[in-house]
Amino acid sequence: MNLLTVDGLAAVTNVLDLAGVFASALLGGAVARSMDFDLFGFLVVGFVSGLGGGMLRDVLLQNGPPVALTDPLYVPVAVAGALVAFFVSFSERGWDRLFTFLDAAVIGFWAVVGVQRTFDAGLEWPAAIIMGTITAVGGGVGRDLLLRRVPAVFGGNALYASVAVAASVVMVGASALGSPTIGIIAAVVLSLLLRWGAVRWGWGLPNGRNWQPQSRLASLLGRGRGRGRTPRPVRPVGARVLRRPGQRAGAGGLHTGSIRIEGLRGEGRGDGGHGGDGHGGDGHGAEGYGAAANGVAGPRTGGLRPDPDAPHPAERHED
């Protein structure tokens, strides 16, 4: 059951369109204020934000010139919204509340207008859903691109374009049932509820990085990839193998006293003997080098114990 006549429905559509233009221009002015623009910047951002979506819709529909250029009310309404944002200063909390409410209302208004304009142009419901979505988000996308920002419709925030799609679907369904008036009310209320809930509880769509298929097959494949592989040895982060000063690469064996444990200087008492640069066993080494060269495994520390018959490395260098 339709509560409005054809002329009444057209008048309501124009009123909602102008309300969306004013609200979106006001939002654009708020963005311009946050970026410290001058008056001309306010007007440009408000104009693009308030009229961009509708003009893009009318160009795509090819149903005559854009309404914003033929109706004398659209440009003054957009300018008025930008001027209100320029002259009226709200607190940050007030702007947040106003921004959330107006953003949700604009999505519902323009989704309804886009669907209705598409039906007036003689197109079917798929085009109506697309045009409703474009009308609702086109101005915001143009504003973000103008300001060199990633458009909000691409994600990373609460539901935005999805709300426009849902409102457009509701309006299309109600129009197919012969009740466009109920569709207008339902679409606006739905957009308000969805957008408010998305901002309040952080509803959003999954992105490609944090979404993984959860299934029995995926878990089995994940287990199968780990079989038959030898785990790589884990090297301590604080251990570095250093070459003795003056020793060439490959000359003799690796001097085990050059294993430097960073952060453990001169701590503990072991069976190690003379280290590369100091006494490691009694904790008096300059850098805490713990094992001696040419030694054998110690019983307690698991390091190396010096061979009493072997000459000290420094003596071998002297020879």
Side-chain angles (χ1 to χ4, degrees):
M1 182 178 63
N2 190 13
L3 302 179
L4 296 174
T5 62
V6 176
D7 294 336
L9 184 60
V12 170
T13 302
N14 288 333
V15 170
L16 292 178
D17 201 6
L18 290 172
V21 169
F22 179 83
S24 190
L26 183 61
L27 295 177
V31 175
R33 175 179 290 276
S34 66
M35 303 187 73
D36 199 21
F37 286 176
D38 60 6
L39 178 59
F40 185 76
F42 271 75
L43 295 177
V44 171
V45 176
F47 184 89
V48 173
S49 181
L51 300 177
M55 295 181 70
L56 179 60
R57 174 204 64 215
D58 294 338
V59 170
L60 292 176
L61 290 177
Q62 297 183 2
N63 193 25
V67 179
L69 301 180
T70 59
D71 194 319
L73 293 178
Y74 278 77
V75 173
V77 168
V79 172
L83 290 178
V84 169
F86 182 80
F87 288 108
V88 179
S89 179
F90 293 93
S91 63
E92 183 177 357
R93 187 174 182 181
W95 269 121
D96 290 339
R97 292 180 177 178
L98 183 62
F99 192 94
T100 302
F101 175 77
L102 290 179
D103 198 25
V106 165
I107 292 175
F109 293 165
W110 273 345
V112 169
V113 173
V115 169
Q116 194 59 39
R117 302 280 191 200
T118 305
F119 284 149
D120 293 341
L123 301 180
E124 299 297 329
W125 65 268
I129 295 176
I130 294 174
M131 290 297 108
T133 305
I134 290 177
T135 307
V137 304
V141 171
R143 176 196 64 212
D144 293 338
L145 292 177
L146 180 65
L147 300 177
R148 300 177 63 184
R149 304 192 308 179
V150 177
V153 297
F154 292 156
N157 51 14
L159 294 177
Y160 188 73
S162 304
V163 178
V165 174
S168 300
V169 170
V170 169
M171 184 60 189
V172 167
S175 298
L177 296 175
S179 302
T181 304
I182 297 177
I184 293 173
I185 299 173
V188 173
V189 172
L190 179 65
S191 64
L192 287 171
L193 293 178
L194 286 180
R195 183 62 180 163
W196 179 81
V199 174
R200 177 66 175 81
W201 290 294
W203 297 343
L205 298 178
N207 56 35
R209 290 182 299 177
N210 61 12
W211 183 86
Q212 294 294 333
Q214 301 295 330
S215 63
R216 183 70 176 174
L217 179 60
S219 61
L220 292 177
L221 291 176
R223 293 176 183 176
R225 294 191 186 99
R227 293 180 179 178
R229 293 185 179 181
T230 303
R232 298 178 62 182
V234 180
R235 183 178 179 182
V237 177
R240 293 189 303 173
V241 179
L242 303 179
R243 195 175 290 115
R244 281 192 51 149
Q247 183 179 10
R248 294 175 299 171
L254 178 67
H255 183 56
T256 56
S258 62
I259 300 179
R260 176 181 178 181
I261 308 299
E262 296 179 351
L264 301 177
R265 293 191 176 185
E267 295 182 2
R269 183 181 298 274
D271 288 339
H274 292 284
D277 292 311
H279 296 284
D282 57 0
H284 295 291
E287 292 291 339
Y289 296 125
N294 298 324
V296 294
R300 289 188 297 172
T301 62
L304 295 178
R305 187 175 58 198
D307 188 355
D309 297 332
H312 192 271
E315 299 175 358
R316 289 190 300 174
H317 279 285
E318 292 176 358
D319 297 337

